[in-house]
Structure formats: structure tokens, C-alpha cells
Amino acid sequence: MPPQIPAVAYLRIDPPGLVGSRCADCGAVYLLARIACASCGGANLTADVELATTGTVTTATVVRRGMPGVPTPFTSGVVALDGGGFVRCTLTGAEDPVAVVGRRAALETGVVGTDVAGTAAVGFTFRVEAA
């Protein structure tokens, strides 16, 4: 297997997961590392906190125009992670963006590109559970 690297800093490959920050003062959870809490203003955040790999779709839309090389249309949405935090992501298995709001979704990872040295970049989506 070729070497793999995460396409974004908050993605863990093995085992697949997301990492973020948690405020020790109020418990707010963030996908990205932070130096201050947007909820309470505190600066006591714990980094590299494992976040849930499941959650509930809160909003979704169909994207019909994208960067060159990105196949469209695709469904983009926001997932409220179990245990706190939100992630904006591509939703797979989402046949109708209106119908997926409120449904459960789970993290999936896969290779999104390979560089000239053969290193594979791994990205993520959230697969929406069937109705």
C-alpha cells in the first residue's frame, strides 16, 4: 500500500476519525484546534480531542458548480457530531438534500488524490443512512 497522509489536519486515518478542541471551562467542542472558545471566551482548550464519527445532518444543499476537476453535482451539508461539534462536509447517499436533514450520518474515508511520489491523500465524507 502506498504511503497515505490526511488531506486536512483534523482527519485521522488509522483508525478513521476527526480531532478537535474542547473548552475545559464550558465544554464547547470545535472541529479545528483553537486558542480561545467562541462560546465563553475562555482560553483553556484541550487540543487533539477525539470527536465522534457519527452525527445528525442539520442542513444540506446540492452544489452544481465546483472547482475544475471536481465532479458536480454533489451534496454538501453540515453534520452535528454526537458529543458536540459540527462538520461541514460532502454527504454521500443523499439523494434529496431536503430529505436528509435530521437523518443519521457516519464518517467514511477514501483516497482523493495521489502525488507524483505515490503518496495518497485521504479525505472524508459522511454517508447518510438510508431512510
Side-chain angles (χ1 to χ4, degrees):
M1 177 189 292
Q4 295 184 332
I5 59 170
V8 291
Y10 50 86
L11 177 64
R12 293 254 166 94
I13 297 174
D14 189 23
L18 301 171
V19 294
S21 300
R22 181 180 310 276
C23 179
D25 297 328
C26 73
V29 176
Y30 301 97
L31 179 61
L32 301 171
R34 299 183 66 103
I35 58 171
C37 178
S39 182
C40 73
N44 190 11
L45 283 99
T46 303
D48 293 330
V49 172
E50 293 290 330
L51 303 180
T53 58
T54 57
T56 303
V57 177
T58 62
T59 188
T61 190
V62 174
V63 177
R64 299 192 188 281
R65 296 173 60 184
M67 298 287 293
V70 175
T72 57
F74 63 90
T75 303
S76 180
V78 175
V79 175
L81 300 173
D82 297 337
F86 293 86
V87 60
R88 185 174 35 183
C89 58
T90 298
L91 299 171
T92 56
E95 65 290 337
D96 175 3
V98 174
V100 300
V101 173
R103 290 195 3 218
R104 303 286 297 158
L107 179 80
E108 290 186 334
T109 59
V111 174
V112 295
T114 305
D115 68 11
V116 294
T119 302
V122 176
F124 73 93
T125 63
F126 270 76
R127 174 160 295 282
V128 179
E129 292 181 355

